[in-house]
Amino acid sequence: MQALSVTALNTQIKSLLETTFMQIQVVGEISNLVIHSSGHIYFSIKDESSTISCVMFKGNARYLKFQLENGQKVQVSANITVFVPRGNYQLLCTKIEPDGVGSLALAFEQLKTKLQAKGYFEQSIKKALPKFPKKIAIVTSPTGAAIEDMKKVATNRWNLCELILIPTLVQGNGSEEDISRSIKFADSLNVDIIVVGRGGGSIEDLWAFNSEIVANSIFEAKTPIISAVGHEIDFLISDFVADIRAATPSNAMEIALPNKNDQLLTIDLYMQELERSMKNIFQKKEDELINIKKLFSLNSIDSKINFIQNQIDLLKDNFNRIVLQKYQIFQNILDSLKQNYELNNPSKKDKISFVQISKNNSLTDLEKLEINDTIELQTAKVKAIAKIISLSKQQV
């Protein structure tokens, strides 16, 4: 047998291996992972007993949906290749999938965990939506059903708001970058709200909204953002980062805009309350004016004059009553004096058989005399001194 050179042997081994082991699938755990700045990925996969080197070049690596990590159990699709100068062989990977779970699901959980650790989902930093927005920018496809649904709902709910459509690629190659650019552009328009979304589809169709570049644009935006992607059962990374998550694009308009019918009803209630309040205020002021008028009437010049006049009338009445009383007293005295005068009128003493009887210079009655009393008998012309010798008193 002819001896082979080392190079010839390695070349034959390379040809044999590469033609025998084409498009194989190998399951193992990732170790020694190196992601080169060039975009190439170098790693090993191993099981309990063996290890094999692997490489995935940039052209295939850019299609990875999840982040490779040491310790991950993966299934690789690869070809065996031999590096002739060293006689080493390795797996040239064309596709890598997580073992036991889909690559998209794993990528979703990886990015979600990463962004959560960076604080992208914190409720405390979520921006509140304005109650009555004047302008809303909509980042979506101009040809999809989503924009028509949003326009219809907006017109029915609150037609005072201006909608600004920013045509955007929402699936396929380049959609992640286009969505990110549209969000940044919308944020520069000084609108009140940005709605980012699209209609339903497969997880692959919606995948652009699970990208880190879109999440960064949403997080960095100064304008409140509503994520409205797919249907109610679809949850995307954009939903967690946005300030508000809407179940559907139509629901985004319901969240962003007030209902004009509700507002009209509210205005009616406010008008009724205002009317009731004004009525109460006017009634209160009217009562106050009536009380003030009463107080003014009580303290007016006329009232004071009436009061003084009443006092004068009262004093006048009292004066008249006192004068009348005094007059009556004097009249009674005068009448008494007149009566006494009449009783002592000297002209009455001139009547025949009538004399005035005095005892001790005081008038007295005949019935009061006693025997031996010395009395004076007097008329208008004659005065006589007499002594009672005999006195006979008759029983009445």
Side-chain angles (χ1 to χ4, degrees), residues 33-42:
L33 176 66
V34 176
I35 301 176
H36 199 271
S37 59
S38 64
H40 306 322
I41 301 175
Y42 302 93

Side-chain angles (χ1 to χ4, degrees), residues 4-218:
L4 299 175
S5 66
V6 174
T7 300
L9 178 60
N10 282 342
T11 301
Q12 291 184 22
I13 292 173
K14 173 182 174 66
S15 177
L16 178 65
L17 289 178
E18 290 182 354
T19 56
T20 303
F21 297 97
M22 296 178 62
Q23 295 297 316
I24 62 172
Q25 293 184 336
V26 183
V27 174
E29 181 180 307
I30 295 177
S31 64
N32 302 318
L33 176 66
V34 176
I35 301 176
H36 199 271
S37 59
S38 64
H40 306 322
I41 301 175
Y42 302 93
F43 61 98
S44 299
I45 57 172
K46 64 180 182 178
D47 56 18
E48 294 83 357
S49 304
S50 301
T51 300
I52 185 170
S53 298
C54 303
V55 61
M56 176 177 262
F57 294 125
K58 178 181 179 180
N60 291 318
R62 64 192 180 98
Y63 293 109
L64 279 175
K65 298 297 185 182
F66 66 101
Q67 183 71 38
L68 298 181
E69 297 175 357
N70 285 320
Q72 276 181 347
K73 191 174 183 181
V74 296
Q75 177 177 305
V76 300
S77 299
N79 301 319
I80 288 183
T81 183
V82 176
F83 185 56
V84 173
R86 292 187 179 180
N88 297 332
Y89 77 93
Q90 60 185 357
L91 296 180
L92 180 59
C93 301
T94 57
K95 185 179 180 180
I96 303 176
E97 292 286 344
D99 185 50
V101 63
S103 61
L104 296 183
L106 178 59
F108 178 86
E109 291 301 328
Q110 285 179 332
L111 182 57
K112 182 180 176 183
T113 300
K114 177 181 178 180
L115 297 181
Q116 188 170 19
K118 293 173 68 175
Y120 276 34
F121 306 158
E122 288 293 330
Q123 288 298 319
S124 59
I125 64 173
K126 302 294 185 183
K127 296 178 284 294
L129 301 180
K131 191 172 183 180
F132 300 101
K134 297 179 180 179
K135 291 183 180 181
I136 295 179
I138 302 176
V139 176
T140 191
S141 170
T143 59
I147 184 61
E148 297 302 324
D149 292 340
M150 285 189 277
K151 286 165 60 178
K152 183 178 179 180
V153 173
T155 301
N156 291 333
R157 285 182 68 86
W158 192 257
N159 52 12
L160 299 178
C161 181
E162 178 184 356
L163 301 182
I164 302 174
L165 173 62
I166 302 177
T168 305
L169 184 65
V170 294
Q171 73 180 68
N173 292 333
S175 58
E176 298 174 3
E177 292 78 7
D178 198 34
I179 294 170
S180 176
R181 283 193 298 269
S182 294
I183 292 173
K184 293 178 180 179
F185 176 68
D187 194 38
S188 69
L189 296 179
N190 195 30
V191 295
D192 299 302
I193 298 173
I194 299 173
V195 176
V196 179
R198 54 156 292 160
S202 66
I203 185 63
E204 289 80 11
D205 293 338
L206 306 179
W207 192 251
F209 296 91
N210 279 330
S211 65
E212 186 170 3
I213 186 174
V214 171
N216 289 335
S217 298
I218 294 174

Side-chain angles (χ1 to χ4, degrees), residues 168-305:
T168 305
L169 184 65
V170 294
Q171 73 180 68
N173 292 333
S175 58
E176 298 174 3
E177 292 78 7
D178 198 34
I179 294 170
S180 176
R181 283 193 298 269
S182 294
I183 292 173
K184 293 178 180 179
F185 176 68
D187 194 38
S188 69
L189 296 179
N190 195 30
V191 295
D192 299 302
I193 298 173
I194 299 173
V195 176
V196 179
R198 54 156 292 160
S202 66
I203 185 63
E204 289 80 11
D205 293 338
L206 306 179
W207 192 251
F209 296 91
N210 279 330
S211 65
E212 186 170 3
I213 186 174
V214 171
N216 289 335
S217 298
I218 294 174
F219 181 76
E220 293 167 1
K222 302 298 187 294
T223 308
I225 293 182
I226 300 176
S227 175
V229 184
H231 301 298
E232 187 171 359
I233 59 173
D234 298 318
F235 280 86
L236 290 303
I237 292 296
S238 62
D239 294 335
F240 294 102
V241 183
D243 300 293
I244 297 288
R245 184 235 177 203
T248 63
S250 297
N251 181 237
M253 290 295 101
E254 293 173 349
I255 293 173
L257 297 173
N259 188 318
K260 61 183 177 183
N261 293 326
D262 292 341
Q263 297 305 314
L264 290 174
L265 179 59
T266 301
I267 290 173
D268 287 342
L269 294 176
Y270 284 154
M271 289 299 294
Q272 293 175 9
E273 181 64 26
L274 177 62
E275 183 178 352
R276 183 166 55 252
S277 298
M278 293 300 294
K279 185 176 180 180
N280 291 336
I281 291 173
F282 285 137
Q283 184 62 51
K284 183 178 179 181
K285 295 302 181 183
E286 183 178 359
D287 293 340
E288 290 178 357
L289 286 174
I290 292 174
N291 291 331
I292 292 173
K293 185 177 180 180
K294 289 180 179 179
L295 290 173
F296 178 77
S297 298
L298 292 174
N299 293 278
S300 66
I301 299 298
D302 291 340
S303 296
K304 292 183 178 181
I305 291 175

